[in-house]
């Protein structure tokens, strides 16, 4: 379908024109068919009617001919013609009179002898019969009808032209059309005695040409040989030949073309613009049928003079009328059909348009939903940015001039999301009068649509309406949880009506902003809660640190003086008292340490310091620490170390020692006989030889733990129910801290215990690095002392004098020129000026100057190849990776001499022992 | 290094007493005891210590400030220092070492073994 027809209006017009043309063609065809049918019907009807009239005429003519012959052969007349006796005359006259009365179609019957004298004359004159006296009888020997008829032979008939009767030399009024027929009378001896003449009222014949049927609008005419009307639709046209002034009233003059065809043919149908003409050329004597064979044969000329033309005309007026009638009828039907089709077409167009619009709406809605989803996918944690995206999407999808997300904040109306806002738009304003404020204040549900803004109250109250010539406002309230906090609106500079789809989109986007607001609030609440928790934690940590400090100081005095007194006092009893004070002090100190550890763990401030150390040595050290105590209790302290366990592993040695100390200490404390066994082994990974799980267990044959207490003992301050505090002491924090430490190490602890049989604490610490440093470390320790460096320049950048001095102290015995800088700027200046071979730069949290210095040095072509080793402050935990990326190496403070030398050796030329540089 | 003269600064009188007994009686060191940083600054030039033994948390001038001020004295620029503190958290210890401490001795300490600890650190 061409594009322009897709428009419903164009489609309707196109279809209307097409239907009009098609219907016109169809109706024209129908018109032609119907008109032709009528035309042919009229023609056939005229022809049939003409045939019928001819038949009727034949019958009339035959009647009068037979009447003539009957009378001519009557005995009375024959006798009279011969004798001329009165008696015979009387009889003949009586016969004539009876005949006239009986027939009622004749006007006069006469017998004229061969001299031309009237012998008998009987008039009928429309029923007033009269016998003309002998005295009044005339001699007609000069009359044309006598002259012609007296010439006839036996059984021959004379027929006169039809004309009007003339009386006393004038046309008889009223007009009396008259036809005369005559035949000769022979006596018994076959002597011609005279002629019998019958005057026939021609109306008898002409009646066949009257229009009997009023509905028959055909014109039936009878013409004489000259073309004068004997019978016409117009009376004034008739008998033209009888009047001198009507000599021109002929068919020929009226229808010359038709006349020329009529006179040249015998019968036929002529179709002209004047109508249909059905004609028959009639010779009256030929109408006589059986009589005709006896009829007189006139010469041709005379016959031609006696002929009639019978014409039936279907007039053009009738055809035109019919044509118009059909036209009118068809036009009415055409219009009705066309209007019905137009209405149907219009409805179809509407339906199709609606269908098309529905499809387009559906497609548009799908596209818009896709666009919304794609926008949602781009959302980040930046909720304000997300809100701006949603606002922009609302403006674009609703095709407004501007879209805003307004929220009431601290009593002001603030535009937090803006799309296409004019440069001079004021995003902060007092809320009163603004449409948005009404949406918020009135908590409008659904879309709030205001049209004709310029005529509305808002033209006076909302400054934006007049300033930006707004006509339509489409807004939607924004709810954060159940609270209405703002409105999303799209404005237009023309009056528009939102579609259902657009309303839904506005609703969806308003909900999306509501969700963003909820998330923003949740985030803020979370941040506040986190800050509150962190503040609380900091306060707790600070409190505990302070408490620790405050307790340790007097504890120091107590334990210090106790210790000094213990040396001074000799009395064993007093010594035992002091011992108790000392023990109580140690317990209190232990408790303080445990509380500090637990507090740090719970605050998440506990970090592992993983370094390579000798695990075998650690386990043996534990044995050493507790061997005396075990011996005092007569216990066997066994340490079983799997020989496959790597000697050097990488982990937090201090915390691992703390765990072992706790577990072994507990085992010895709660075991009165038997043994305590510390076992250590490794669990290897299938695909990684460098990593393994460290497994160790502490097994004792002590009092054991009831099943119901086995879970409780890992909770802070909880001890087994039957554990005698007075007997065993303890803070109840040891196992809790142990479990938490193991969890921080990504490990797990598992307890198996039976009362009076003993307990086994099994620990697994996962994913420990092994072997990597084992040989290197040993090698390092052996060789670092023997390093001989080539003379090089080293720059130390650190704001702490002691730190610089410490590094200088570690390096000064080597062949270096050492320079110092107190800050980043000084360091950069120095490096650019003197180009050192190696730079150590100390980095601290929240001090960016040194970071900038590193960046400058690495971007400057003069210094970018100088290796930089950053010195990381002890409290910097998570920035290591980023620092590694921008520098050549790093060391964590406090600086270890060996590590410092190792790092230096990476970048500066040196030799080992006798090796040449 | 041989340590004979120790300048000890602590605001707690009890601790000063314990340390005095410990280092003088048990350890045999010559001790200058001060109760504040300011006092130490006055005493130090005359006393000429081999080692500074400093408390950390003190009013007005804490241990680090006292050390920095003492190091301003030319004779004490390179003097070794050991901190004696009740704040035993790792970050605090590291920070003190960063400021040049040979080591950090946590409180409470055993007065009977304190001299030996100091000697072993200084060795």
């Amino acid at each position: 379908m061409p594009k322009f027809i897709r428009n419903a209006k164009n489609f309707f017009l196109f279809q209307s024109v097409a239907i009009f043309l098609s219907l016109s063609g169809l109706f024209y065809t129908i018109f032609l068919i119907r008109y032709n049918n009528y035309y042919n019907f009229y023609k056939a009807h005229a022809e049939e009617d003409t045939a019928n009239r001819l038949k009727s005429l034949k019958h009339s003519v035959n009647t009068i001919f037979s009447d003539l012959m009957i009378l001519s052969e009557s005995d009375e007349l024959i006798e009279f013609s011969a004798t001329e006796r009165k008696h015979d005359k009387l009889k003949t006259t009586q016969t004539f009179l009876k005949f006239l009365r009986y027939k009622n179609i004749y006007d006069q019957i006469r017998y004229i002898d061969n001299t031309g004298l009237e012998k008998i004359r009987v008039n009928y004159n429309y029923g007033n019969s009269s016998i003309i006296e002998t005295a009044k009888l005339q001699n007609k020997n000069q009359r044309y009808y006598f002259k012609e008829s007296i010439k006839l032979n036996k059984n021959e008939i004379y027929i006169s032209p039809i004309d009007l009767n003339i009386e006393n030399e004038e046309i008889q009024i009223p007009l009396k059309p008259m036809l005369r027929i005559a035949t000769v009378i022979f006596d018994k001896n076959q002597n011609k005695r005279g002629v019998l003449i019958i005057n026939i009222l021609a109306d008898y014949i002409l009646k066949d040409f009257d229009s009997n049927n009023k509905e028959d609008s055909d014109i039936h005419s009878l013409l004489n040989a000259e073309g004068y009307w004997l019978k016409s639709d117009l009376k004034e046209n008739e008998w033209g030949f009888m009047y001198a002034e009507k000599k021109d009233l002929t068919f020929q003059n009226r229808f010359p073309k038709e006349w020329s065809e009529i006179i040249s043919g015998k019968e036929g149908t002529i179709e002209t613009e004047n109508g249909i003409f059905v004609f028959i050329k009639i010779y009256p004597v030929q109408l006589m049928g059986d009589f005709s064979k006896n009829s007189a044969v006139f010469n041709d000329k005379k016959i031609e003079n006696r002929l009639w033309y019978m014409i039936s005309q279907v007039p053009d007026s009738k055809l035109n009328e019919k044509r118009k009638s059909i036209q009118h009828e068809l036009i009415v039907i055409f219009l009705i059909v066309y209007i019905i089709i137009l209405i149907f077409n219009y409805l179809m167009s509407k339906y199709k348009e609606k269908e098309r619009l529905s499809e387009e709406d559906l497609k548009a809605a799908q596209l818009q939903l896709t666009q919304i989803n794609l926008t949602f996918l781009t959302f980040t944690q930046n909720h304000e940015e997300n809100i701006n995206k949603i606002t922009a999407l609302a403006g674009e999808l609703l095709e407004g001039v501007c879209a805003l997300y307004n929220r009431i904040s601290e009593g002001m109306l603030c535009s937090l999301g803006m799309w296409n806002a004019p440069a001079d738009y004021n995003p902060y304003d007092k809320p009163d009068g603004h449409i948005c404020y009404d949406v918020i204040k009135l908590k409008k549900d659904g879309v709030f649509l205001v049209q004709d803004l310029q005529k509305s109250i808002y033209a006076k109250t909302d400054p934006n309406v007049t300033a930006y010539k707004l006509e339509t406002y489409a807004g939607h309230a924004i709810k954060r949880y159940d609270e209405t906090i703002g409105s999303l609106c799209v404005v237009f500079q023309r009056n528009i009506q939102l579609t259902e789809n657009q309303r839904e989109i506005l609703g969806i986007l308003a909900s999306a902003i509501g969700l963003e607001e909820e998330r923003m609030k949740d985030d803020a609440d979370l941040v506040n809660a986190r800050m509150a928790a962190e503040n609380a934690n900091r306060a707790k940590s600070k409190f505990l640190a302070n408490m620790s400090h405050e307790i340790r100081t007097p504890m120091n005095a107590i334990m210090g003086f106790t210790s000094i007194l213990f040396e001074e006092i000799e009395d064993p009893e007093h010594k035992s008292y002091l011992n108790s004070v000392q023990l109580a002090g140690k317990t209190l100190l232990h408790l303080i340490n445990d509380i500090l550890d637990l507090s740090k763990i719970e605050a998440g401030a506990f970090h592992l310091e993983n370094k390579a150390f000798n695990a075998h040595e650690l386990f043996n050290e534990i044995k050493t620490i507790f061997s005396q105590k075990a011996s005092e209790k007569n216990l066997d302290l066994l340490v079983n170390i799997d020989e496959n366990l790597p000697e050097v592993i990488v982990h937090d040695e201090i915390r691992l020692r703390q765990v072992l100390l706790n577990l072994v200490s507990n085992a010895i404390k709660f075991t009165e006989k038997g043994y305590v066994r510390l076992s250590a082994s490794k669990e290897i990974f299938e695909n990684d030889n460098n990593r393994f799980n460290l497994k160790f267990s502490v097994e004792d044959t002590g009092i054991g733990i009831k099943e119901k207490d086995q879970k409780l003992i890992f909770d802070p301050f909880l001890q087994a129910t039957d554990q005698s505090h007075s007997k065993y002491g303890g803070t109840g924090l040891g196992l809790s801290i142990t479990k938490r430490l193991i969890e921080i190490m990504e490990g797990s602890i598992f307890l198996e215990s039976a009362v009076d049989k003993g307990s086994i604490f099994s620990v697994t610490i996962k994913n420990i690095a092994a072997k990597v440093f084992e040989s290197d470390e040993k090698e390092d320790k052996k060789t670092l002392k023997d390093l001989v460096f080539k003379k090089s320049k080293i720059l130390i950048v650190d704001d702490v004098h002691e730190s610089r001095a410490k590094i200088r102290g570690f390096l000064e015995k080597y062949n270096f020129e050492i320079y110092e800088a107190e800050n980043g700027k000084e360091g950069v200046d120095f490096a650019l000026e003197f180009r050192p071979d190696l730079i150590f730069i100390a980095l601290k949290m929240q001090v960016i100057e040194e970071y900038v210095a590193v960046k400058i040095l690495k971007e400057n072509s003069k210094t970018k190849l100088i290796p930089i080793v950053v010195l990381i402050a002890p409290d910097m935990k998570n920035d290591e990776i980023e620092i590694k990326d921008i520098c050549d190496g790093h060391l964590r403070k406090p600086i270890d001499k060996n590590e410092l030398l190792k790092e230096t050796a990476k970048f500066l030329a040196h030799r080992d022992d006798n090796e040449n540089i | 290094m041989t340590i004979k003269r120790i300048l000890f600064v602590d605001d707690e009188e009890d601790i000063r007493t314990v340390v005095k007994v410990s280092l003088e009686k048990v350890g045999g060191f010559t001790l200058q005891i001060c109760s504040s940083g300011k006092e130490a600054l006055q005493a130090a030039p005359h006393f000429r210590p081999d080692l500074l033994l400093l408390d950390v948390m003190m009013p007005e001038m804490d241990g680090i400030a006292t050390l920095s001020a003492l190091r301003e004295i030319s004779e004490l620029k390179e003097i070794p220092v050991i901190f004696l503190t009740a704040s035993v958290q790792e970050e605090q210890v590291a920070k003190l070492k960063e400021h040049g401490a040979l080591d950090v001795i946590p409180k409470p300490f055993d007065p009977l073994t304190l001299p030996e600890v100091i000697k072993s650190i200084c060795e």
Side-chain angles (χ1 to χ4, degrees):
Chain A
M1 188 184 288
K3 196 174 178 181
F4 80 97
I5 297 175
R6 286 181 202 157
N7 177 290
K9 191 178 167 186
N10 292 342
F11 179 75
F12 175 70
L13 288 174
F14 175 79
Q15 279 208 335
S16 302
V17 171
I19 290 167
F20 180 84
L21 294 175
S22 305
L23 273 184
S24 299
L26 176 66
F27 274 77
Y28 184 69
T29 308
I30 293 171
F31 165 76
L32 289 180
I33 292 168
R34 287 199 66 188
Y35 180 71
N36 280 335
N37 283 345
Y38 274 104
Y39 186 90
N40 291 332
F41 170 76
Y42 286 151
K43 187 176 157 185
H45 180 264
E47 287 170 348
E48 188 184 347
D49 192 59
T50 304
N52 287 336
R53 286 172 197 279
L54 177 64
K55 200 184 282 179
S56 178
L57 184 65
K58 269 186 179 176
H59 180 262
S60 300
V61 170
N62 273 331
T63 300
I64 59 176
F65 283 179
S66 62
D67 285 350
L68 177 68
M69 295 314 291
I70 289 167
L71 283 179
S72 69
E73 289 175 5
S74 70
D75 293 337
E76 300 93 300
L77 181 57
I78 293 169
E79 192 64 33
F80 176 70
S81 67
T83 64
E84 291 189 357
R85 288 179 304 196
K86 282 190 177 179
H87 171 72
D88 293 326
K89 181 180 179 181
L90 184 62
K91 280 176 76 177
T92 304
T93 303
Q94 288 298 317
T95 300
F96 286 0
L97 198 58
K98 279 182 193 172
F99 200 82
L100 286 171
R101 284 178 187 155
Y102 178 72
K103 288 291 182 177
N104 201 30
I105 57 172
Y106 302 117
D107 184 65
Q108 189 180 66
I109 303 174
R110 285 177 290 176
Y111 172 69
I112 300 172
D113 67 12
N114 50 15
T115 64
L117 183 68
E118 288 177 328
K119 290 295 182 180
I120 300 172
R121 180 179 173 186
V122 180
N123 292 339
Y124 189 67
N125 197 20
Y126 301 115
N128 297 319
S129 56
S130 61
I131 302 165
I132 305 301
E133 298 170 22
T134 305
K136 292 182 180 178
L137 293 173
Q138 298 170 7
N139 193 323
K140 301 288 183 180
N141 63 352
Q142 293 305 313
R143 297 293 175 94
Y144 67 90
Y145 49 82
F146 176 76
K147 286 178 181 176
E148 289 189 13
S149 58
I150 200 67
K151 294 174 188 171
L152 298 174
N153 294 316
K154 191 173 174 64
N155 292 332
E156 286 182 345
I157 293 170
Y158 162 78
I159 298 173
S160 73
I162 298 176
D163 56 11
L164 295 175
N165 194 40
I166 295 172
E167 285 293 335
N168 303 321
E169 304 300 327
E170 288 188 358
I171 296 169
Q172 187 181 348
I173 302 297
L175 299 180
K176 189 184 272 183
M178 201 62 72
L179 173 68
R180 295 172 186 85
I181 57 173
T183 187
V184 288
I185 304 297
F186 290 86
D187 62 16
K188 290 178 180 173
N189 298 322
Q190 300 303 318
N191 297 317
K192 189 183 288 179
R193 303 305 296 189
V195 294
L196 178 65
I197 300 171
I198 299 176
N199 287 5
I200 303 155
L201 292 168
D203 286 341
Y204 174 66
I205 294 167
L206 297 176
K207 72 179 189 312
D208 292 327
F209 298 92
D210 286 339
S211 181
N212 298 327
N213 188 352
K214 287 182 181 175
E215 292 175 3
D216 180 12
S217 52
D218 291 354
I219 299 168
H220 306 288
S221 303
L222 188 69
L223 309 178
N224 65 14
E226 289 80 29
Y228 287 102
W229 275 282
L230 303 179
K231 191 72 182 177
S232 168
D233 56 326
L234 297 171
K235 289 287 178 193
E236 60 267 27
N237 288 345
E238 293 173 353
W239 312 113
F241 62 94
M242 295 296 292
Y243 301 94
E245 70 276 12
K246 290 186 179 179
K247 291 292 181 189
D248 294 335
L249 283 175
T250 62
F251 189 88
Q252 181 181 11
N253 288 337
R254 191 170 166 187
F255 302 108
K257 190 168 73 179
E258 290 83 352
W259 179 249
S260 64
E261 286 194 37
I262 289 169
I263 58 173
S264 61
K266 186 182 176 187
E267 64 178 56
T269 302
I270 303 162
E271 295 165 48
T272 70
E273 66 274 12
N274 294 313
I276 304 167
F277 295 84
V278 180
F279 72 94
I280 299 175
K281 192 184 278 183
I282 303 167
Y283 295 96
V285 290
Q286 291 173 352
L287 297 175
M288 287 190 298
D290 293 339
F291 295 102
S292 64
K293 59 180 183 282
N294 300 316
S295 297
V297 179
F298 298 97
N299 62 49
D300 289 341
K301 189 181 174 188
K302 286 176 181 173
I303 289 171
E304 286 301 317
N305 287 338
R306 294 295 180 273
L307 66 83
W308 301 329
Y309 294 102
M310 191 166 74
I311 298 171
S312 288
Q313 180 195 355
V314 182
D316 59 339
S317 59
K318 182 179 180 180
L319 292 173
N320 286 338
E321 192 182 334
K322 194 67 200 176
R323 184 163 48 231
K324 283 178 186 171
S325 160
I326 294 169
Q327 279 174 350
H328 289 160
E329 182 187 341
L330 287 179
I331 284 170
V332 169
I333 294 171
F334 172 85
L335 287 175
I336 291 169
V337 171
Y338 187 56
I339 288 168
I340 289 170
I341 290 175
L342 277 188
I343 292 168
F344 179 74
N345 184 26
Y346 177 76
L347 294 175
M348 278 301 289
S349 301
K350 280 280 178 192
Y351 174 75
K352 283 192 170 184
E353 176 69 3
K354 199 175 172 185
E355 205 175 43
R356 186 178 66 80
L357 287 175
S358 299
E359 282 176 14
E360 285 179 1
D361 283 351
L362 193 64
K363 281 180 186 172
Q366 283 170 346
L367 277 174
Q368 286 168 338
L369 279 177
T370 306
Q371 206 173 335
I372 291 171
N373 282 332
L374 287 174
T375 305
F376 286 174
L377 285 175
T378 66
F379 279 6
T380 62
Q381 291 300 313
N382 187 337
H383 301 297
E384 289 177 1
E385 189 182 296
N386 296 344
I387 285 173
N388 254 324
K389 285 180 183 173
I390 296 168
T391 309
L393 196 59
E396 285 167 7
L397 293 182
L398 268 64
E399 298 176 351
V401 291
C402 173
L404 298 169
Y405 165 52
N406 292 320
R407 195 175 70 180
I408 298 295
S409 181
E410 296 176 356
M412 295 292 278
L413 190 67
C414 310
S415 298
L416 297 185
M418 290 193 283
W419 175 77
N420 227 14
D424 60 345
Y425 172 71
N426 178 15
Y428 299 96
D429 202 359
K430 289 180 182 174
D432 290 326
H434 283 270
I435 314 176
C436 287
Y437 186 52
D438 276 3
V439 177
I440 301 165
K441 191 171 59 182
L442 303 174
K443 298 177 180 173
K444 296 279 186 189
D445 279 331
V447 173
F448 183 57
L449 187 72
V450 186
Q451 294 167 306
D452 284 324
L453 279 172
Q454 296 301 328
K455 296 174 188 167
S456 73
I457 184 73
Y458 294 113
K460 294 176 183 169
T461 62
D462 191 330
N464 297 324
V465 169
T466 46
Y468 305 116
K469 298 176 182 170
L470 303 180
E471 282 294 348
T472 304
Y473 170 94
H476 200 293
I478 303 293
K479 285 191 174 183
R480 185 177 62 195
Y481 297 114
D482 289 332
E483 182 191 6
T484 303
I485 58 161
S487 74
L488 171 66
C489 71
V490 180
V491 291
F492 306 82
Q493 286 177 329
R494 60 197 159 87
N495 267 320
I496 63 130
Q497 185 68 46
L498 289 190
T499 63
E500 270 308 308
N501 190 27
Q502 287 174 318
R503 286 171 180 269
E504 282 178 17
I505 284 170
L506 196 60
I508 290 169
L509 296 178
S511 301
I513 288 185
L515 283 174
E516 284 300 315
E517 282 284 9
E518 287 171 8
R519 286 178 192 146
M520 198 147 59
K521 186 173 184 300
D522 290 348
D523 285 357
D525 290 348
L526 201 63
V527 167
N528 290 338
R530 193 184 296 145
M531 281 174 68
E534 283 174 359
N535 286 338
N537 255 332
R538 266 197 294 275
K540 190 174 84 174
S541 296
K542 193 175 177 185
F543 170 77
L544 287 171
N546 287 340
M547 282 301 293
S548 164
H549 179 267
E550 296 306 318
I551 294 170
R552 277 168 186 276
T553 304
M555 280 296 299
N556 203 154
I558 294 166
M559 294 176 73
F561 286 127
T562 306
S563 189
I564 292 165
L565 274 177
F566 196 84
E567 292 300 311
E568 299 291 329
I569 290 171
E570 299 293 333
D571 183 5
E573 193 178 351
H574 291 169
K575 276 203 169 199
S576 74
Y577 296 156
L578 286 174
N579 211 17
S580 294
V581 174
Q582 193 85 338
L583 208 62
K586 283 183 180 174
T587 304
L588 196 54
L589 202 62
H590 202 87
L591 175 63
I592 291 164
N593 288 336
D594 281 354
I595 288 172
L596 268 179
D597 279 349
L598 194 62
S599 130
K600 282 176 70 178
I601 289 168
E602 287 188 340
F606 209 97
H607 300 288
L608 298 177
E609 289 288 337
N610 289 341
K611 287 182 181 175
F613 68 94
N614 193 315
H616 288 250
E617 282 180 10
L618 175 64
F619 289 114
N620 288 323
E621 183 188 325
I622 298 298
K623 185 179 182 182
T624 307
I625 290 168
F626 290 104
S627 57
Q628 190 184 347
K629 212 171 243 182
S631 172
E632 284 169 4
K633 294 184 80 172
N634 206 21
L635 297 173
D636 290 330
L637 179 57
L638 310 169
V639 175
N640 298 336
I641 304 171
D642 185 350
E643 58 182 17
N644 292 323
L645 180 70
E647 277 197 20
V648 178
I649 65 173
V650 178
H651 211 271
D652 190 324
E653 182 185 5
I654 294 170
R655 296 305 168 190
L656 196 56
R657 179 184 286 109
Q658 191 175 350
V659 168
L660 288 167
L661 287 173
N662 250 327
L663 293 175
V664 175
S665 166
N666 273 351
I668 290 173
K669 186 160 73 175
F670 295 108
T671 304
E672 299 303 328
K673 60 178 181 179
Y675 63 87
V676 171
R677 179 188 290 136
L678 171 62
S679 305
S681 63
K682 78 166 185 177
E683 186 178 71
I684 56 168
F685 287 167
E686 283 185 7
N687 300 323
D688 190 350
N689 291 329
N690 293 326
R691 295 199 165 268
F692 67 95
N693 291 341
L694 172 64
K695 294 175 79 76
F696 60 86
S697 63
V698 177
E699 180 186 356
D700 66 54
T701 52
I703 59 172
I705 303 162
K706 286 181 180 174
E707 195 174 345
K708 65 173 184 177
D709 292 332
Q710 287 182 10
K711 286 182 181 175
L712 296 177
I713 58 167
F714 291 108
D715 291 336
F717 301 105
L718 286 177
Q719 293 177 320
T721 48
D722 56 354
Q723 179 181 323
S724 168
H725 187 267
S726 56
K727 183 176 178 183
Y728 298 109
T731 60
L733 291 174
L735 276 176
S736 176
I737 291 169
T738 300
K739 185 170 185 281
R740 305 287 181 92
L741 283 175
I742 290 168
E743 284 168 354
I744 289 169
M745 294 173 189
E746 296 183 357
S748 58
I749 183 165
F750 179 69
L751 168 64
E752 291 173 88
S753 186
V755 176
D756 294 333
K757 288 187 177 175
S759 305
I760 304 172
F761 287 88
S762 303
V763 177
T764 303
I765 297 170
K766 294 178 179 173
N767 203 18
I768 287 180
K771 288 281 187 183
V772 179
F773 299 101
E774 192 175 16
S775 58
D776 292 348
E777 288 284 314
K778 285 180 180 175
E779 197 64 24
D780 284 348
K781 284 180 182 175
K782 190 180 72 178
T783 58
L784 283 172
K785 293 175 185 173
D786 306 322
L787 285 173
V788 178
F789 286 92
K790 185 184 173 185
K791 190 171 183 180
S792 307
K793 286 186 280 186
I794 292 176
L795 171 64
I796 304 164
V797 184
D798 198 322
D799 61 336
V800 180
H801 165 76
E802 288 77 11
S803 295
R804 298 198 301 272
K806 186 176 179 181
I807 296 169
R808 175 185 280 276
F810 288 151
L811 298 175
E812 65 187 357
K813 78 168 190 177
Y814 299 93
N815 194 18
F816 297 131
E817 285 178 34
I818 298 170
Y819 303 94
E820 294 179 24
E822 283 190 352
N823 54 54
K825 185 179 181 306
E826 205 177 299
V828 170
D829 292 344
F830 185 91
L832 288 168
E833 182 71 24
F834 297 103
R835 312 277 179 87
D837 301 302
L838 177 62
I839 301 172
F840 290 103
I841 295 184
L843 299 180
K844 288 184 177 174
M845 274 181 71
Q846 297 170 344
V847 178
I848 61 165
E849 192 184 343
E850 280 71 20
Y851 287 89
V852 175
V854 170
K855 207 173 174 190
I856 291 171
L857 291 171
K858 281 297 175 191
E859 286 176 355
N860 192 304
S861 59
K862 293 178 182 173
T863 55
K864 67 180 180 185
L865 296 176
I866 301 173
I868 297 174
V869 175
V870 287
L871 310 175
I872 305 160
D875 48 354
M876 292 173 68
K877 302 293 178 191
N878 301 320
D879 303 321
E880 206 168 301
I881 293 170
E882 188 186 343
I883 290 160
K884 276 179 182 172
D885 288 344
I886 59 174
C887 292
D888 302 281
H890 71 285
L891 290 170
R892 183 174 289 279
K893 288 183 177 180
I895 303 298
D896 178 84
K897 184 179 178 181
N898 284 338
E899 287 178 356
L900 178 72
L901 288 173
K902 261 173 67 181
E903 203 67 12
T904 307
K906 279 185 189 172
F907 303 107
L908 299 180
H910 63 278
R911 68 176 167 79
D912 198 355
D913 287 331
N914 297 320
E915 190 184 333
N916 291 325
I917 294 173
Chain B
M1 83 181 80
T2 308
I3 302 297
K4 289 182 180 174
R5 301 169 69 81
I6 298 175
L7 175 64
F8 174 58
V9 187
D10 200 313
D11 60 320
E12 288 289 335
E13 191 181 348
D14 288 342
I15 302 298
R16 292 200 298 271
T17 308
V18 172
V19 168
K20 183 177 170 61
V21 172
S22 171
L23 295 187
E24 284 185 346
K25 275 199 170 178
V26 181
F29 293 106
T30 303
L31 204 61
Q32 172 69 50
I33 298 176
C34 299
S35 62
S36 69
K38 278 185 179 177
E39 205 180 309
L41 282 171
Q42 289 175 348
H46 308 291
F47 180 64
R48 291 177 173 265
D50 301 320
L51 175 73
L52 298 176
L53 185 62
L54 304 177
D55 183 24
V56 178
M57 291 182 72
M58 293 186 290
E60 295 183 16
M61 285 179 78
D62 65 6
I64 294 170
T66 303
L67 175 62
S68 297
L70 287 170
R71 285 254 164 91
E72 294 294 317
I73 300 166
S74 58
E75 293 86 351
L76 303 180
K77 199 172 182 180
E78 303 293 332
I79 191 167
V81 60
I82 293 172
F83 283 102
L84 204 57
T85 181
S87 301
V88 292
Q89 294 174 67
E90 290 94 345
E91 293 84 359
Q92 179 71 8
V93 173
K95 189 179 174 186
L96 294 171
K97 288 187 174 177
E98 191 57 26
H99 280 85
L102 286 180
D103 211 337
V104 177
I105 298 170
K107 292 178 183 176
F109 53 84
D110 183 353
L112 301 179
T113 59
L114 181 63
E116 284 308 311
V117 170
I118 289 172
K119 282 177 188 169
S120 69
I121 290 169
C122 291
E123 281 172 1

